[in-house]
Amino acid sequence: MRKPLQSIVVLTGAGISAESGIQTFRAADGLWENHRVDEVATPEGFERNPPLVYEFYNQRRRQILSPEIRPNPAHSALAKFEHDFLGNFVLITQNIDNLHERAGSKKLLHMHGEILKMRCLNSKLVFDIREDLVFETECRCCRSPGNLRPHIVWFGEMPLHMHEINLALKGCDLFVAIGTSGNVYPASGFYQSAKIARAHTVELNLEVTGSGFDEHVYGKASEIVPAFFEGILSSSG
Ligand code: NAD
């Protein structure tokens, strides 16, 4: 008989929020909302053209705050699972949106930052933000303009919470990746770390990504995520 699951790590990507109306990143042609990633998601892009980068994330923020963007059944299923599952559960997201927390997830690691936060370039202090961020926005700690940037991990920068993530991967017996293309390092290698820890690895995605998970479930996140996690709860009694 299979041992009951004690520790589960879930990684989500842009695909889990696609049915909430937020475009994925690589699905079309490597562009993020019609922009090249080196323009809007690298420190060099920010140095070259801060107004463009500020405006890109202002648009993302306005979108997240618009009434038509809501969590979908996949986000809700993960929040319910966190509440009902008796073992350890860690949810890691590559997404910068706030749909997991809006669905009720509590233990959540935003490894690529959050669109509703900004950071001081000097003090590294992080602040909430719901309005537009522009060069003229006065920093709440330095009291001067031009010191703030979106609290987003750009390409070439170190993702957040890596110590906690690595510990969770080392100790898990099930690793599930949902709606991620596996193109962005280091998240793309998490399933291999989980395998080294002898975890069972499962990919839930709309389409084949060519990665080496032990098990694959294909379909829309809003359908396959609730079914998958309800299945775990019913088999663990
Ligand atoms: P990605 O865009 O590279 O890949 C999306 C994956 O989701 C694809 O494999 C696709 O097949 C799958 N998918 C699409 N629709 C789906 C659905 N309805 N159900 C299940 N799967 C579906 O995403 P990524 O791997 O997360 O990398 C993108 C990077 O860009 C991340 O680092 C993230 O920070 C950023 N990003 C974030 C958001 C967001 O916050 N919602 C949106 C776009 C990009």
Side-chain angles (χ1 to χ4, degrees):
M1 209 176 81
R2 219 160 121 182
K3 254 181 31 189
L5 290 166
Q6 293 183 335
S7 187
I8 300 179
V9 176
V10 172
L11 169 72
T12 63
I16 197 168
S17 297
E19 291 164 75
S20 293
I22 303 175
Q23 265 186 36
T24 60
F25 164 44
R26 300 206 181 249
D29 42 18
L31 297 178
W32 188 358
E33 301 271 356
N34 300 322
H35 288 274
R36 290 201 338 255
V37 290
D38 61 309
E39 281 179 352
V40 294
T42 60
E44 295 78 18
F46 184 51
E47 251 172 59
R48 264 197 310 269
N49 194 348
L52 173 78
V53 175
Y54 282 133
E55 183 48 25
F56 176 75
Y57 292 98
N58 288 341
Q59 283 172 13
R60 308 281 72 71
R61 192 175 308 106
R62 282 181 223 136
Q63 183 191 32
I64 295 299
L65 293 172
S66 68
E68 61 269 21
I69 301 293
R70 283 186 296 273
N72 68 55
H75 299 103
S76 304
L78 289 173
K80 180 178 183 313
F81 185 80
E82 177 185 356
H83 182 265
D84 295 350
F85 181 60
L86 297 177
N88 290 327
F89 179 73
V90 177
L91 175 58
I92 307 163
T93 188
Q94 297 170 89
N95 296 342
I96 59 173
D97 66 52
N98 65 349
L99 296 178
H100 282 304
E101 42 277 61
R102 282 175 58 188
S105 287
K106 303 271 182 270
K107 202 170 166 194
L108 171 66
L109 300 173
H110 270 283
M111 65 177 290
H112 289 165
E114 294 169 65
I115 190 62
L116 296 183
K117 296 204 167 144
M118 61 181 171
R119 186 166 80 234
C120 173
L121 291 164
N122 292 333
S123 67
K124 316 281 183 257
L125 287 174
V126 174
F127 305 99
D128 291 338
I129 181 168
R130 296 181 82 80
E131 59 283 0
D132 283 358
L133 175 61
V134 289
F135 182 84
E136 290 72 26
T137 308
E138 196 175 274
C139 174
R140 290 181 208 165
C141 56
C142 314
R143 296 285 162 209
S144 49
N147 285 349
L148 292 164
R149 61 164 274 183
H151 185 50
I152 305 290
V153 177
W154 288 326
F155 287 91
E157 297 182 321
M158 179 63 87
L160 307 170
H161 311 294
M162 284 309 294
H163 179 67
E164 221 174 326
I165 290 173
N166 285 328
L167 281 180
L169 291 170
K170 274 188 189 146
C172 72
D173 41 28
L174 174 68
F175 174 78
V176 186
I178 303 168
T180 175
S181 59
N183 285 324
V184 181
Y185 181 84
S188 53
F190 287 175
Y191 82 94
Q192 284 152 328
S193 307
K195 275 189 168 193
I196 292 168
R198 298 186 175 279
H200 182 64
T201 59
V202 185
E203 173 179 60
L204 307 186
N205 202 304
L206 196 57
E207 56 192 33
V208 178
T209 62
S211 48
F213 286 75
D214 299 316
E215 187 183 337
H216 304 264
V217 181
Y218 298 115
K220 288 181 180 173
S222 63
E223 293 167 6
I224 59 178
V225 174
F228 183 83
F229 286 92
E230 276 157 26
I232 296 181
L233 283 178
S234 54
S235 65
S236 59

